[in-house]
Amino acid sequence: MARDPRVREEVLQRDECLRLLASRQLGRVAVAVEGWSPLVRPVNYRFDPSSQSVIFRSGTGTKLTGLLRAHAVTFEADEIDEAGHTGWSVIVSGRAEEVVRPDDLARVEALGLEPWVPGDLPHWFRVRTEMVSGRRIAPVEV
């Protein structure tokens, strides 16, 4: 299939990736655990500038079990304009760390992350932005 000549792909620098992460509230966390099929779940999140981390919550179930057992996770956030064939995607790879220390919990709770799903989501996680990559499909300037 031929590429759309009206758009171009650009690689995003780290600062732009972090700015874009901070601009959204919904992303996807992907977990691979040996012996399981890959698990991808949507999560609402906040970007914590002080720890340079993506923060989200979890209840009990397969997502929690996968996060606790996985050696690495991938988090992705994006924005897409289907009509204009443009958009961006930012990917963060690292280890999901459960936030359990009282001072850390107080800080992440202050970020204002309100779960979108009903029920108890007592487990807080962070994925530090140690490995970040991003791409943008943007209109070609004429």
Side-chain angles (χ1 to χ4, degrees):
M1 177 179 230
R3 292 181 60 113
D4 187 335
R6 300 170 295 167
V7 296
R8 62 183 166 76
E9 180 181 22
E10 63 182 85
V11 175
L12 302 175
Q13 298 299 312
R14 179 182 175 82
D15 288 348
E16 178 68 356
C17 289
L18 299 183
R19 186 190 71 73
L20 291 169
L21 277 175
S23 76
R24 308 302 296 165
Q25 295 182 21
L26 182 66
R28 284 155 291 287
V29 63
V31 180
V33 175
E34 187 174 338
W36 291 20
S37 295
L39 177 70
V40 179
R41 294 288 188 266
V43 295
N44 66 303
Y45 74 96
R46 291 291 187 271
F47 180 71
D48 177 18
S50 66
S51 67
Q52 300 277 290
S53 299
V54 172
I55 306 292
F56 59 92
R57 297 174 70 173
S58 179
T60 59
T62 55
K63 179 174 62 175
L64 175 64
T65 302
L67 289 166
L68 294 173
R69 292 181 59 193
H71 296 290
V73 301
T74 299
F75 178 85
E76 189 265 350
D78 58 33
E79 182 174 271
I80 298 169
D81 175 359
E82 291 185 31
H85 299 188
T86 60
W88 58 263
S89 174
V90 172
I91 296 174
V92 175
S93 297
R95 184 166 181 87
E97 303 168 353
E98 187 169 11
V99 180
V100 294
R101 291 184 31 204
D103 56 332
D104 289 340
L105 279 170
R107 192 179 76 251
V108 299
E109 287 173 356
L111 294 172
L113 175 60
E114 294 295 328
W116 289 11
V117 297
D120 190 25
L121 302 175
H123 302 276
W124 291 79
F125 283 89
R126 79 173 140 228
V127 179
R128 296 185 191 273
T129 56
E130 295 169 4
M131 295 177 53
V132 180
S133 63
R135 301 276 188 281
R136 176 182 286 128
I137 305 298
V140 171
E141 297 174 15
V142 289

